């Protein structure tokens, strides 16, 4: 009697991640897709590559992700759906195997330079509430710790028409946490005037070198027709008053061809047009101009924290809200858990 040994030819059990399902797309025709059919494994990292315009975004965002979102929306009540955008079914013959999707698109979170991870996730809002309740000294409501809210003061008189009319003087204050120096941005700017204009030329000759300020365009015509400047005079020959009107004049109503306009110096116009936007969200030629003409430095008033001195004076266990926001998120969570 002999015994024989043989190896087990059965396939070993696959890891859980290998027994995955698939998302099946058949006949996708969204945007520039031409009856595209693919099967995408779940629980795997799948990369779509191709030249610009080949349909990568149309397949991922406009077909698969769009249908996933549409199916999720259908689970809500009719009342809730009434407040949600109506999503049409993508142009596709078959789309199977979809589950809930988290969509991270190709756009930046926002163009507002005051947006941070804390404001986008509401973690900053919860910290503001925390400091308004526990911070010492107490300085005010959660708005007092917000770098998006300026401090405001005002007064006026109201007349109550009830019985004998009575005029009452009222005053109000809103305590915000915005640093007044940088307006909650954390940086201040210094503009290189030589990048804004060529002083050897006149306005009519195209002296302004800011993008969008063409010599025959309305942006420049507002300067030439304002009555404050000689359009044929080189900027280097301006008087002190003309130079002030050209660069720094405060908003002033002017009439050009029977139409009212607001005239403003070139520097504040550039600040409002370009510096109020996120530099990374600008078009390449605009960003190149800003990088040439503007120097960004940390605000000396708040040391880059965006917050007023009053907001930074209130502390919990030795930390102010700016120091809490600067912590590693795991360290911040541990700090918060230790609060009573």
């Amino acid at each position: 009697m002999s015994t024989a040994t043989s190896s087990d030819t059965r396939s070993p059990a696959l890891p859980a991640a290998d027994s995955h399902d698939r998302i099946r797309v058949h006949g996708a025709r969204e945007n520039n897709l031409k009856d595209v059919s693919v099967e995408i494994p779940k629980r795997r990292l799948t990369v779509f590559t191709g030249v610009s315009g080949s349909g990568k975004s149309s397949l991922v965002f406009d077909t698969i992700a769009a249908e996933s979102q549409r199916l999720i929306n259908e689970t809500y009540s009719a009342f809730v759906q009434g407040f949600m955008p109506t999503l049409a079914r993508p142009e596709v013959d078959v789309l199977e195997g979809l589950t809930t999707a988290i969509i991270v698109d190709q756009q930046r979170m926002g163009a507002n330079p005051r947006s941070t991870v804390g404001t986008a996730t509401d973690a900053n809002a919860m910290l503001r509430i925390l400091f308004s309740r526990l911070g010492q000294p107490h300085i005010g409501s959660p708005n007092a710790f917000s770098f998006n809210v300026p401090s405001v003061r005002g007064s006026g008189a109201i007349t109550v028409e009830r019985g004998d009319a009575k005029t009452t003087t009222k005053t109000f204050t809103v305590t915000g946490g915005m640093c007044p120096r940088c307006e909650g941005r954390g940086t201040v700017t210094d503009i290189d005037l030589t990048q804004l204009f060529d002083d050897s030329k006149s306005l009519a000759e195209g002296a302004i070198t800011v993008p969008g300020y063409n010599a025959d365009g309305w942006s420049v015509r507002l300067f030439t027709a304002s009555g404050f400047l000689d359009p044929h005079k080189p900027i280097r020959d301006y008087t002190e008053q003309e130079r002030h009107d050209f660069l720094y004049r405060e908003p002033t109503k002017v009439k050009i061809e029977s139409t009212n306009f607001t005239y403003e110096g070139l520097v504040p116009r550039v600040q409002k047009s370009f510096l109020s936007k996120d530099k990374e969200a600008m078009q390449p030629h605009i960003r190149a101009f800003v990088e040439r003409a503007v120097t960004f430095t940390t605000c000396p008033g708040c040391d880059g924290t965006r917050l007023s001195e009053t907001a930074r004076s209130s502390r919990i266990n030795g930390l102010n809200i700016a120091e809490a926001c600067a912590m590693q998120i795991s360290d911040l969570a541990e700090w918060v858990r230790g609060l009573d």
Side-chain angles (χ1 to χ4, degrees), residues 84 239 275 281 285 309-310 312:
M84 303 174 72
T239 64
L275 303 189
H285 72 288
E309 184 179 357
T310 302
R312 289 179 282 122

Side-chain angles (χ1 to χ4, degrees), residues 208-221 223 266 269 273-274 283 285-286 289:
I208 300 179
T209 55
V210 178
Y213 283 71
N214 301 319
D216 56 350
W218 264 105
S219 297
V220 174
R221 191 175 180 185
F223 287 93
L266 181 61
R269 290 183 70 180
S273 299
F274 301 108
Q283 295 179 352
H285 72 288
I286 300 294
F289 162 73

Side-chain angles (χ1 to χ4, degrees), residues 187-209:
T187 59
V188 291
T189 58
D190 185 22
I191 296 179
D192 182 359
L193 297 181
T194 62
Q195 298 295 327
L196 303 187
F197 58 88
D198 180 351
D199 66 356
S200 67
K201 297 181 179 180
S202 67
L203 292 174
E205 294 172 329
I208 300 179
T209 55

